[in-house]
Amino acid sequence: MSMMDVDVQPPTQLTAIASPQLADGLATLPMLIPLNGAVVNGNSTLPTEPPCETVYVQNLNESVTMNTLKQTLTNLFKNYGEVLDVVAHHNLRMRGQAFVSFADPEAAAKAVKEVDRFPLYGKPMKLSFAKTRSDAVVQKLDGTHMEEYKAERMERKKRARADNPLRRKAQARLKASAGDGTAPQAGRRIVQMPDEYLPPNKILFLQNLPDSTTLDQLQMLFSQYPGLHEVRLVPTKKDIAFVEYVDENAASTAKDALHNYRLDGEAKMKVTFARK
DNA sequence: AGCACA
């Protein structure tokens, strides 16, 4: 339903690779082994992106609600492997970003390669590997060392804070100028953006309505959510309709509430943002 | 721009 009805890269079959073995003796904090690619000496050697299990996503459309965002990201990324967790925050510092954790670093690598620049909700996502492992991954690797891991993470944070910020700025600049000659446009094979990933719109698009659906019925249903402007049926097609709200936020609320609602107790109606 | 998770 999600990615399948359009021409999108099919789910990647990945053979499971051996997870890092906790060598018997020295395995106190196996997950703290630095994700390779550490900076060697301040200037010349740039860190190569480490094969972290977690993908760091930037440039997300910030007007999408947290729930739909997480849901959508899970749906999208599970095409590349088992998704353990999706973490996103709405606060000033963290909005527009998300962390998608895979069980398998190869799945993450595949996702970074193929999904980078994919336009989700109207904005091309920037994908890279997370700097640190996520809790979900650590849990999976070795749930028993969670507490120690968190303690260690605190330490790292402190050290980072003490670290000279100027040096980091310089590194960032270097990196920006270095890469970026031929980043392949992701999503080349997509002939049409799936409805689910369209950017917010004050107009909603309803699909899969039962034949018996009436205008009154829809008005009744959608007026439960504030800001309803108008419901429009499509004379030639009984199974679809448009519902317009005063703004995107209002529409978004109604959409989240009524997507998959069963009007007749049977079929689920699909509610997405309309195409512009 | 911005690398979190209690």
Side-chain angles (χ1 to χ4, degrees):
Chain A
M1 279 289 238
S2 52
M3 301 286 292
M4 283 335 215
D5 43 6
V6 288
D7 188 13
V8 179
Q9 304 279 10
T12 316
Q13 289 300 92
L14 291 170
T15 48
I17 62 158
S19 51
Q21 287 309 318
L22 318 183
D24 312 321
L26 64 153
T28 26
L29 296 174
M31 51 299 204
L32 287 183
I33 294 162
L35 299 163
N36 49 16
V39 178
V40 178
N41 57 35
N43 48 31
S44 60
T45 312
L46 289 175
T48 51
E49 295 287 13
C52 181
E53 300 85 349
T54 300
V55 174
Y56 175 52
V57 187
Q58 286 170 287
N59 199 38
L60 291 164
N61 190 322
E62 297 176 14
S63 64
V64 178
T65 61
M66 216 34 61
N67 280 339
T68 12
L69 183 65
K70 287 184 187 174
Q71 190 58 60
T72 307
L73 288 174
T74 315
N75 273 320
L76 174 66
F77 281 102
K78 73 177 176 215
N79 291 301
Y80 301 88
E82 184 192 352
V83 173
L84 296 182
D85 198 14
V86 175
V87 173
H89 298 278
H90 188 65
N91 62 49
L92 190 55
R93 181 151 165 260
M94 286 299 123
R95 63 184 49 171
Q97 303 149 75
F99 297 85
V100 179
S101 304
F102 288 94
D104 177 345
E106 290 203 357
K110 185 94 174 162
V112 167
K113 198 170 183 181
E114 298 190 10
V115 184
D116 185 36
R117 295 175 175 230
F118 179 90
L120 183 67
Y121 296 119
K123 302 187 67 183
M125 295 183 281
K126 302 269 178 298
L127 299 212
S128 55
F129 295 98
K131 286 178 181 163
T132 60
R133 270 208 247 264
S134 62
D135 288 357
V137 172
V138 175
Q139 285 279 10
K140 174 110 181 176
L141 286 181
D142 182 1
T144 62
H145 288 311
M146 202 54 200
E147 293 314 311
E148 297 160 71
Y149 175 71
K150 284 184 181 173
E152 171 69 15
R153 194 173 59 200
M154 284 289 114
E155 289 307 309
R156 291 191 151 217
K157 234 181 187 172
K158 277 186 190 167
R159 261 188 287 128
R161 212 172 295 281
D163 201 356
N164 182 356
L166 291 176
R167 167 168 295 189
R168 290 203 244 158
K169 279 238 171 93
Q171 280 172 18
R173 204 167 299 126
L174 231 178
K175 185 175 182 177
S177 62
D180 194 279
T182 46
Q185 194 69 265
R188 197 179 298 123
R189 297 180 49 197
I190 297 169
V191 42
Q192 189 183 221
M193 189 60 45
D195 304 319
E196 288 80 359
Y197 305 154
L198 290 170
N201 189 329
K202 64 179 177 177
I203 303 175
L204 298 176
F205 181 45
L206 313 190
Q207 296 174 81
N208 201 35
L209 298 171
D211 282 2
S212 60
T213 309
T214 67
L215 185 63
D216 279 358
Q217 197 179 6
L218 289 179
Q219 281 168 343
M220 196 76 82
L221 186 63
F222 282 87
S223 62
Q224 294 179 102
Y225 304 92
L228 178 63
H229 183 248
E230 146 175 78
V231 177
R232 296 188 289 273
L233 297 184
V234 178
T236 56
K237 298 203 78 195
K238 289 197 181 150
D239 59 332
I240 65 174
F242 292 91
V243 180
E244 181 166 348
Y245 280 83
V246 291
D247 60 27
E248 290 174 3
N249 281 331
S252 181
T253 304
K255 169 184 173 293
D256 288 349
L258 293 175
H259 178 55
N260 285 337
Y261 181 81
R262 297 170 200 267
L263 260 173
D264 58 356
E266 291 275 328
K268 296 179 188 169
M269 77 170 159
K270 180 172 170 184
V271 184
T272 60
F273 294 117
R275 287 176 202 283
K276 301 266 190 191

